[in-house]
Amino acid sequence: MRMNKDNIITLPHADLRKRSVRVGVITKDIVKLVAAMEAATIDWEESREHEVGVALAAVQVDELYRIVVIREDFNDKKNKKFEALINPEIVKYEGEIEEDFEGCLSVKDVYGKVPRHTKVRVKALNLKGKEIRMKAEGFLARVLQHEIDHINGKLFVDHIEDKPEAFYQLGNTGKIEELDDEQRTTIFAQIFSE
């Protein structure tokens, strides 16, 4: 199973709104899917000048399994290693709720200032079927919440749908920029069209 950036589906694709199913057995096909997801994320990243592919959920390559891959090191683009989380779930939200910018490989060229908890506790299985538990804070906590939303059929834009001022775009220089009213109207039509 080979994948690249073209396998990543984007809004308004209906499957992004579907709940993914639990993985019952970690088969060779699941292991291959994880590798393909990692390859698609790296290929996407290599096509973007100012962005890093930090994580991907299986639904984003139109495979409705509760699988997430997360970059081992968010700050080092040369490090192309990921950790796979099978059937991840947040068992506890902690800390404060803070707004910060998020983007998504399935929401083209749009960023949003999204409220998230600053700390979470997550449990999942690794690729060997062993249960792992992790405490995450800061950016990792945000990424985990974002990706676990994906497997539940929710995207970051859904958290700010009623806040047009919370939507932004990535400019040519790699800086996040505010949208004018016309851009906002166009983006809302693309994102929230059924």
Side-chain angles (χ1 to χ4, degrees):
M1 177 183 303
R2 287 191 175 163
M3 289 189 183
N4 60 33
K5 67 182 187 306
D6 298 329
N7 294 97
I8 297 172
I9 61 175
T10 58
L11 282 178
H13 197 295
D15 285 356
L16 288 166
R17 301 290 188 191
K18 293 180 180 174
R19 285 182 65 88
S20 297
V21 297
R22 289 182 65 81
V23 175
V25 179
I26 300 170
T27 63
K28 288 180 182 178
D29 285 340
I30 294 295
V31 174
K32 287 178 187 175
L33 173 58
V34 166
M37 290 167 62
E38 293 170 1
T41 306
I42 294 299
D43 189 52
W44 179 91
E45 175 182 280
E46 289 173 354
S47 73
R48 314 293 285 194
E49 187 175 356
H50 302 291
E51 294 168 294
V52 177
V54 298
L56 194 74
V59 63
Q60 293 178 268
V61 291
D62 213 10
E63 295 283 346
L64 292 169
Y65 293 107
R66 298 180 79 79
I67 301 171
V68 168
V69 296
I70 296 184
R71 193 73 166 257
E72 187 178 272
D73 186 339
F74 300 136
N75 299 311
D76 182 3
K77 284 181 88 165
K78 292 176 187 166
N79 183 342
K80 302 193 185 310
K81 293 181 182 171
F82 289 78
E83 181 170 359
L85 302 177
I86 311 296
N87 302 327
E89 58 183 280
I90 295 172
V91 293
K92 191 171 185 184
Y93 293 93
E94 299 177 317
E96 306 297 317
I97 294 178
E98 290 182 357
E99 288 185 350
D100 205 351
F101 289 110
E102 289 184 28
C104 180
L105 281 66
S106 292
V107 184
K108 287 184 179 177
D109 303 320
V110 176
Y111 279 74
K113 218 164 192 185
V114 182
R116 300 271 190 197
H117 283 84
T118 55
K119 298 178 183 177
V120 289
R121 294 177 190 239
V122 172
K123 72 174 182 177
L125 300 177
N126 65 17
L127 271 183
K128 294 179 179 171
K130 182 182 175 191
E131 183 175 276
I132 53 174
R133 291 183 174 262
M134 58 198 315
K135 292 180 189 177
E137 58 183 275
F139 187 64
L140 178 58
R142 179 169 293 277
V143 170
L144 286 164
Q145 289 169 84
H146 178 113
E147 297 305 324
I148 291 171
D149 270 357
H150 268 303
I151 63 176
N152 291 318
K154 191 169 189 173
L155 289 92
F156 82 87
V157 294
D158 300 329
H159 290 281
I160 53 175
E161 183 176 358
D162 60 345
K163 297 181 182 174
E165 71 283 358
F167 285 81
Y168 295 79
Q169 69 180 355
L170 189 69
N172 294 334
T173 62
K175 292 187 179 172
I176 294 175
E177 302 171 349
E178 290 187 22
L179 300 170
D180 61 34
D181 289 338
E182 185 178 331
Q183 291 168 317
R184 194 172 284 125
T185 301
T186 302
I187 284 171
F188 266 60
Q190 291 169 345
I191 292 175
F192 298 111
S193 65
E194 297 289 326

